[in-house]
Amino acid sequence: MEQSAWSEISALVAAAPYPVEVLPADPQRAGACLAALEITSRSWLGAVVANSGGLVIDHGWLRVLGPVSKSVPGLELLGEDLRVSVFEM
C-alpha cells in the first residue's frame, strides 16, 4: 500500500514559524505531472504535486510550484525565491 508523505508535510506546514499558504490542488494536472516526473506521492515532491497547487512560504519569499503553476515548455520549474533565483529540475 502506498503511503503519501503529505501528512508529514502538512504537520510541518502547521508548525512553521512563518506563514505557509497551500495553494489548491488540481487533481487532473497533478496526475499528469506525477506521471511526467515519474514519481509517487511517497516522496515530498510527489506529495506536494499530488495534494497542492504549490506552496507560498513567508509571504512569497519562497514559492514551491506545483502542477497548477505555468512552467516553461520542456522545463520543470520547481520553485523560485523573491530574488528570482529559479530552481529547476
Side-chain angles (χ1 to χ4, degrees):
M1 177 194 274
E2 183 175 311
Q3 183 178 357
S4 174
W6 186 248
S7 59
E8 190 175 354
I9 294 168
S10 294
L12 292 170
V13 165
Y18 35 78
V20 179
E21 178 184 1
V22 178
L23 301 176
D26 179 338
Q28 185 175 9
R29 290 190 73 182
C33 189
L34 286 171
L37 291 171
E38 298 180 357
I39 58 175
T40 70
S41 63
R42 292 178 65 173
S43 70
W44 280 33
L45 176 60
V48 169
V49 167
N51 295 282
S52 75
L55 306 172
V56 178
I57 303 166
D58 199 11
H59 304 287
W61 277 93
L62 179 64
R63 295 179 292 264
V64 179
L65 306 175
V68 175
S69 65
K70 295 179 181 174
S71 60
V72 178
L75 173 69
E76 292 299 331
L77 184 62
L78 299 179
E80 59 189 0
D81 64 18
L82 193 60
R83 296 176 306 167
V84 191
S85 299
V86 175
F87 309 99
E88 302 171 357
M89 185 168 134

